[in-house]
Amino acid sequence: MAADLSDLMLLPIDRTGAEPLLRQVYRELRRAILSGALPPGGKLPPTRALAERLGVARNTVVAAYEQLLAEGFIEGRVGAGSFVSRDLPDGLDLPPSEPVRRTLSPPPPVNPFGTAPFSTGRCALDERSLRIWRSLTLRRLQRPDPEMMGYGEPGGPAALRQAIARYLQTARAVRCEPEQVIVTAGAQQAIDLVLRVLLRPGDPVWLEDPCYPAVRAALEAAQVRIVPVPVDGQGLDVAAGVAASPDARLAYVTPSSHYPLGVVLPMARRMDLLAWARRSGAWVLEDDYDSEFRYAGRPLASLQGIDGGGRVIYVGTFSKVLFPGLRLGYAVLPPELVEPVLTMRRLTDWHPATLYTGVVTDFLEEGHFGPHLRRMRRRYMAARDALAEAIGAHLSPWMEAEVPDQGMKLIARLRPGLSDRAVEAVAARHGIAVRPVSPMHIAAPPLQGLMLGFTGHEPGALRHATRALGGALSAARLDV
């Protein structure tokens, strides 16, 4: 007996909730099979047809089918399609497992990390830094260390770990020994290794709301229970997190410059967060991704530096201060986590690349890093001010810029009645990369705003792009 497509059109899909669409499609198909609405032997509709009827991406339905196939609920027949299994698996009273996730969301129309105007995460190496970088690289190649040509240590070379520890002790008041530093392929790998070691499916984890999308995706892949904790003008609302999940296993935070809003977590909330972690035995994952770029006053010390209970895992990166293609980050771990994370590192990519770890070591040890950062701060502050001024001159009918004291991006809040997704679509048609903020929310009422990168872009290019975006919005009649 074939399933009736009209029955599947009634699958309850909630596009406004926090639960991913893939999870909903999988759950409802499984429920239909268990209830008999899709009887044994019944043919399922083609994935494309069902996706069209549900109004979701085809990849979402494909992934749900694949999970049901892996669990034995459906079977595929070459040239015939997918059918409900006639021999359903045992243990149907168990809660459904998490489906395989292939696509969490459709790709943005313009690469937000590319070269288009306002793309984020871009860095600038001036001629002086480039000249030094070339010289250090050639020196390493002309007199190669034998270890550079072989396999390395999972934590990275001892000389680089020592250099990173000295830098962090001075610049961020991080308290650590070189043995606590693990060099990784960017901050994302550092975060991934920590999640693999600490978390198990179902563990509750605090996540800032709105949040860094890549970390949300990593937590979803780890099948943990995400606890969205609202962010206000003072950063993470620790009291709300405690009320929602006092027994959370881990809290992910960006205290020096919240991603995406850019607010700084004040000292009182930092102390409350650390007190909760000590009291509950939880871990705090501090992502200090761009604290080097502060344009007014001195930054607050790192969470790790004021943590007296050894509960903070500190993550940083050279992707934001040198260039993303370097793929070099690091984690500073509490002593009891060093060996478990090193073991996990051995099981993934073994060790970081050896050539550029040596070049970065020289860049740090020979005194080039500090002057480079000072030059970049001046350059980025000029770009920030040019962008803020241009927004006021050319985009004020649609948005207002929030000028940050730190970071590599600013938030432009849209006027009431405007959609950041709609502005993104107009910008993309003109080759301009703006990142809507509303999709970064989980449960909090979404802010309609744009994340605009200013680092790695010349002030003149930012002014030109701002003027072009204003003309595009006017032509599109995107009025409040």
Side-chain angles (χ1 to χ4, degrees):
M1 175 181 174
D4 185 351
L5 286 179
S6 63
D7 293 337
L8 295 181
M9 290 175 65
L10 301 178
L11 292 181
I13 303 298
D14 180 10
R15 292 172 180 77
T16 63
E19 185 178 23
L21 293 176
L22 167 55
R23 176 67 179 176
Q24 297 183 52
V25 173
Y26 161 81
R27 170 170 44 78
E28 294 305 323
L29 285 172
R30 186 180 189 276
R31 181 177 297 165
I33 292 171
L34 295 180
S35 68
L38 291 173
K43 183 177 182 180
L44 275 68
T47 55
R48 189 181 305 278
L50 182 56
E52 290 177 355
R53 284 163 172 77
L54 296 178
V56 299
R58 186 188 176 207
N59 281 349
T60 299
V61 178
V62 169
Y65 276 27
E66 287 179 348
Q67 182 69 24
L68 293 167
L69 179 67
E71 295 178 354
F73 286 98
I74 66 175
E75 56 191 28
R77 301 175 191 170
V78 177
S82 299
F83 296 81
V84 178
S85 177
R86 293 188 182 277
D87 298 313
L88 292 177
D90 296 329
L92 295 182
D93 55 331
L94 296 176
S97 59
E98 192 74 7
V100 177
R101 288 177 170 84
R102 290 293 183 87
T103 302
L104 295 175
S105 60
V110 177
N111 180 8
F113 302 110
T115 59
F118 310 137
S119 54
T120 57
R122 287 183 55 77
C123 301
L125 281 181
D126 62 6
E127 185 54 40
R128 182 175 178 182
S129 292
L130 281 171
R131 185 172 61 252
I132 294 169
W133 189 264
R134 283 193 296 266
S135 174
L136 297 177
T137 303
L138 287 173
R139 189 176 68 188
R140 283 275 172 174
L141 289 172
Q142 289 168 350
R143 298 194 300 272
D145 187 323
E147 293 184 358
M148 189 181 80
M149 301 300 183
Y151 291 101
E153 291 297 318
L160 180 55
R161 297 166 79 173
Q162 292 168 0
I164 291 173
R166 281 194 289 269
Y167 164 69
L168 293 177
Q169 290 162 4
T170 302
R172 299 296 296 122
V174 170
R175 297 189 292 183
C176 69
E177 299 299 325
E179 293 75 21
Q180 294 174 253
V181 178
I182 291 182
V183 182
T184 60
Q188 193 68 25
Q189 187 193 36
I191 293 169
D192 177 70
L193 290 171
V194 169
L195 299 186
R196 288 172 183 262
V197 168
L198 290 182
L199 301 180
R200 298 295 177 266
D203 282 348
V205 175
W206 288 9
L207 182 60
E208 296 166 321
D209 189 6
C211 66
Y212 179 37
V215 168
R216 180 180 180 182
L219 291 172
E220 289 176 344
Q223 302 182 23
V224 301
R225 179 168 65 87
I226 294 176
V227 180
V229 181
V231 171
D232 58 23
Q234 294 189 312
L236 183 83
D237 187 339
V238 178
V242 173
S245 182
D247 60 344
R249 173 73 170 158
L250 179 141
Y252 170 84
V253 292
T254 52
S256 296
S257 178
H258 170 259
Y259 193 101
L261 301 182
V263 296
V264 177
L265 192 67
M267 187 57 69
R269 287 196 178 179
R270 292 175 183 235
M271 301 307 296
D272 289 344
L273 178 62
L274 295 174
W276 163 77
R278 289 193 296 269
R279 186 170 63 248
S280 63
W283 299 98
V284 176
L285 182 52
E286 178 182 12
D287 188 349
D288 204 29
Y289 62 99
D290 66 357
S291 64
E292 286 85 357
F293 300 120
R294 185 164 179 84
Y295 310 113
R298 294 183 58 83
L300 292 174
S302 64
L303 272 176
Q304 197 273 359
I306 60 174
D307 173 27
R311 307 309 302 173
V312 177
I313 302 154
Y314 180 91
V315 171
T317 181
F318 290 105
S319 294
K320 303 295 189 292
V321 292
L322 291 173
F323 52 93
L326 187 60
R327 301 311 304 140
L328 207 62
Y330 49 86
V332 178
L333 303 168
E336 63 265 41
L337 295 183
V338 172
E339 279 307 315
V341 173
L342 283 176
T343 299
M344 186 61 69
R345 178 67 184 276
R346 291 187 187 98
L347 298 175
T348 54
D349 69 341
W350 198 329
H351 64 86
T354 53
L355 171 60
Y356 284 120
T357 54
V359 176
V360 171
T361 302
D362 297 341
F363 201 84
L364 290 169
E365 290 290 88
E366 296 179 14
H368 305 301
F369 192 51
H372 165 76
L373 289 179
R374 288 191 289 274
R375 293 195 302 273
M376 292 305 102
R377 286 191 196 102
R378 291 193 295 269
R379 184 168 180 166
Y380 292 169
M381 186 164 64
R384 178 203 64 176
D385 294 345
L387 176 56
E389 181 182 354
I391 289 174
H394 305 293
L395 294 175
S396 59
W398 301 277
M399 64 193 73
E400 181 178 3
E402 296 181 350
V403 183
D405 288 333
Q406 66 284 319
M408 305 172 71
K409 62 195 181 307
L410 63 74
I411 296 296
R413 291 181 180 254
L414 299 187
R415 305 297 183 190
L418 288 178
S419 162
D420 55 9
R421 293 273 201 170
V423 174
E424 177 195 29
V426 172
R429 290 197 293 270
H430 292 78
I432 298 172
V434 302
R435 296 196 69 184
V437 175
S438 64
M440 301 180 194
H441 293 71
I442 307 172
L447 165 70
Q448 296 297 322
L450 304 175
M451 180 191 295
L452 305 176
F454 53 81
T455 60
H457 302 284
E458 293 298 327
L462 293 171
R463 295 187 187 97
H464 177 78
T466 304
R467 188 163 50 248
L469 180 57
L473 293 175
S474 180
R477 300 185 183 279
L478 203 62
D479 299 323
V480 178

